[in-house]
């Protein structure tokens, strides 16, 4: 039986499709008191808005340096879910140094997706520790810092978690293998997030260059909430 939604619900769905900031009003996250509506910090709103507005531009990529428990993975999860929900047949990759870290982000995305109101929630076709596939064909997949984890795939969105803590050799090999593939896809978007970890790593190099306007990344430094 086909579900019929009200005109108001369809109007809200269109508003959410048009802007991820509207979508945030219907996302819930798990807190110490149970599920609660996601109330983003100002920096999270600014970050998500920048991701949205920079799509299909010459500088779509973002790199975020922020301390722990500042909500950087939650912001990425909400944006990834918005993208997967409203754009068909897209592939979003989540890369971490340990598979369990990526799986935790994906788990948070799944919880967020399950808590959406029915007029925003798509059916789930594949649901396991490493993948979530929605009925519109869009997929969110988990991988580790290894060129083979996304080899041959031009991802529509690539989220790299805790990049400053990746092993230097693995990070360099991953960048050499994956970055050129991503660059060949004009509408692709890359998001790097991490807590800082000194200067001798890929994250610092990309962040430093972004801060000086030397690459395609927008640098965001969250010093405090």
């Amino acid at each position: 039986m086909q579900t019929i939604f009200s005109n108001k619900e369809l109007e809200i769905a269109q508003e959410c499709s048009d802007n991820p900031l509207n979508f945030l009003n219907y996302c819930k996250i798990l807190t110490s008191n149970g599920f609660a509506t996601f109330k983003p910090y100002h920096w999270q709103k600014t970050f998500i808005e920048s991701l949205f507005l920079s799509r299909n531009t010459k500088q779509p990529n973002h790199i975020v340096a922020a301390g722990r428990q500042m909500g950087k993975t939650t912001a990425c999860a909400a944006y990834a879910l918005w993208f997967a929900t409203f754009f068909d047949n897209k592939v979003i990759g989540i890369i971490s140094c340990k598979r369990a870290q990526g799986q935790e982000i994906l788990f948070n995305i799944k919880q967020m997706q399950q808590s959406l109101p029915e007029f925003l929630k798509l059916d789930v076709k594949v649901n396991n520790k490493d993948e979530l596939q929605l009925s519109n064909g869009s997929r969110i997949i988990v991988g580790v810092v290894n060129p083979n984890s996304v080899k041959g795939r031009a991802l529509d969105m690539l989220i790299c978690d805790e990049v400053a803590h990746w092993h230097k050799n693995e990070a360099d090999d991953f960048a050499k293998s994956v970055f050129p593939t991503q660059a060949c896809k004009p509408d692709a978007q890359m998001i790097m997030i991490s807590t800082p970890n000194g200067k001798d790593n890929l994250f610092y190099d990309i962040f430093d260059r972004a801060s000086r306007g030397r690459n395609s990344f927008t640098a965001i430094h969250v010093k405090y909430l």
Side-chain angles (χ1 to χ4, degrees):
M1 180 183 296
Q2 184 176 8
T3 303
I4 299 176
F5 299 116
S6 68
N7 289 336
K8 181 61 177 178
E9 289 172 330
L10 294 175
E11 180 182 333
I12 292 173
Q14 185 61 55
E15 290 173 351
C16 291
S17 173
D18 291 340
N19 193 320
L21 294 182
N22 295 326
F23 181 68
L24 299 185
N25 295 323
Y26 301 91
C27 292
K28 292 184 178 181
I29 59 174
L30 186 61
T31 69
S32 57
N33 297 318
F35 278 100
T37 300
F38 178 31
K39 296 180 180 179
Y41 300 119
H42 176 72
W43 87 262
Q44 290 174 311
K45 287 184 177 181
T46 301
F47 170 45
I48 291 173
E49 183 175 38
S50 182
L51 287 170
F52 170 60
L53 294 177
S54 66
R55 290 190 64 252
N56 303 316
T57 70
K58 293 182 178 181
Q59 195 163 349
N61 305 318
H62 284 62
I63 184 166
V64 179
R68 300 188 185 282
Q69 304 302 317
M70 287 192 174
K72 53 189 181 294
T73 55
T74 301
C76 287
Y79 183 70
L81 178 58
W82 168 80
F83 186 72
T85 299
F86 293 107
F87 293 84
D88 297 345
N89 301 310
K90 300 298 183 181
V91 182
I92 301 162
I94 301 173
I95 302 297
S96 301
C97 54
K98 295 181 180 179
R99 186 172 295 276
Q101 291 176 306
Q103 290 173 339
E104 180 67 20
I105 297 174
L106 181 60
F107 178 74
N108 292 336
I109 292 173
K110 291 176 181 178
Q111 288 189 314
M112 204 176 284
Q113 197 270 342
Q114 291 169 3
S115 67
L116 289 173
E118 291 300 320
F119 63 89
L120 293 177
K121 187 190 304 182
L122 298 181
D123 291 337
V124 174
K125 297 301 182 182
V126 177
N127 184 1
N128 57 54
K129 289 184 177 181
D130 293 329
E131 180 178 353
L132 173 68
Q133 181 175 347
L134 303 177
S135 58
N136 64 350
S138 288
R139 304 164 58 210
I140 304 175
I141 58 176
V142 169
V144 294
V145 187
N146 183 317
N148 294 323
S149 64
V150 291
K151 187 175 182 180
R153 294 176 174 174
L155 303 173
D156 299 287
M157 183 183 298
L158 177 60
I159 299 172
C160 300
D161 181 47
E162 292 295 351
V163 182
H165 299 268
W166 291 4
H167 188 278
K168 182 172 175 54
N169 291 339
E170 290 180 338
D172 291 344
D173 289 345
F174 182 84
K176 290 176 184 177
S177 174
V178 175
F179 284 17
T181 304
Q182 288 301 110
C184 291
K185 192 172 178 60
D187 57 348
Q189 192 166 40
M190 190 182 308
I191 306 167
M192 289 189 165
I193 58 175
S194 188
T195 53
N197 185 33
K199 296 183 178 182
D200 187 24
N201 56 70
L202 177 69
F203 183 82
Y204 178 85
D205 181 57
I206 294 176
F207 190 93
D208 180 60
R209 289 174 179 271
S211 299
R212 294 183 285 120
R214 300 283 298 275
N215 58 27
S216 64
F217 284 81
T218 295
I220 299 175
H221 187 191
V222 187
K223 297 181 179 180
Y224 53 84
L225 297 177

